Amino acid sequence: NAGVTQTPKFQVLKTGQSMTLQCAQDMNHEYMSWYRQDPGMGLRLIHYSVGAGITDQGEVPNGYNVSRSTTEDFPLRLLSAAPSQTSVYFCASSSAGLAGETQYFGPGTRLLVL
Amino acid sequence: GENVEQHPSTLSVQEGDSAVIKCTYSDSASNYFPWYKQELGKRPQLIIDIRSNVGEKKDQRIAVTLNKTAKHFSLHITETQPEDSAVYFCAASNYNQGGKLIFGQGTELSVKP
């Protein structure tokens, strides 16, 4: 199993450009989430999904869109990048256990918006 | 929504000493509390977790305690080693709401040889 994979590893964008951060998992996990990590701010939840076709907003959803057409994939879209979106983005997945299940994180995508 | 506060933001200990990191949460419906370790440039990795029906859990040198009444939980690392140096994050969620972890701000632990 590859676990949770993310592409690209690093990306530089200009203000106003759009892009999609890819996330895939091969563990058949129902739950998937996107977090951003900024220095001193910890990890903040952007969007999450409890299954294909179902998504919901997290703590900091503005400027980001998501969709979940398959169990395996959960892409994050930036429609018009802003310097405030410079961050490290982590995707995570977990199974839908009855008592809380381990979230597995991808390796992260470093995004720089100029 | 849930809010998680974590203290201290930095912690420096001598090798062999104990380290304690504390977190408080706001949502009484939260019932799952994991702790993650993140080394520089790496992804967060789960080190221990606790559920609301348990007051304490231990795994070798690591232990977590939970006080539901006070809504706080703590990570205890005994006999610290230099390889324990990392950033530690607590988190809280209601596992009935699906993978929605809310994290604390992190504690940078430095273990000096």
Side-chain angles (χ1 to χ4, degrees), chain A residues 9 13-14 18-19 23 35 40 42 49-50 52 61 73 81 83 85 91 93 101 104 108:
Chain A
K9 291 183 179 180
L13 290 179
K14 294 181 180 179
S18 63
M19 80 161 295
C23 174
Y35 299 87
S49 169
V50 298
D73 300 297
Q85 294 178 305
C91 178
S93 74
E101 299 293 333
Y104 296 91

Side-chain angles (χ1 to χ4, degrees), chain B residues 25 28 30 33 51-54 66-72:
Chain B
Y25 62 99
S28 56
S30 289
F33 306 93
R51 293 166 178 84
S52 59
N53 59 345
V54 175
L66 171 64
N67 183 327
K68 287 189 296 182
T69 303
K71 290 190 279 189
H72 67 70

Side-chain angles (χ1 to χ4, degrees), chain A residues 79-103:
Chain A
L79 298 179
S80 179
S84 61
Q85 294 178 305
T86 293
S87 189
V88 179
Y89 291 85
F90 288 99
C91 178
S93 74
S94 65
S95 61
L98 296 178
E101 299 293 333
T102 301
Q103 281 211 7

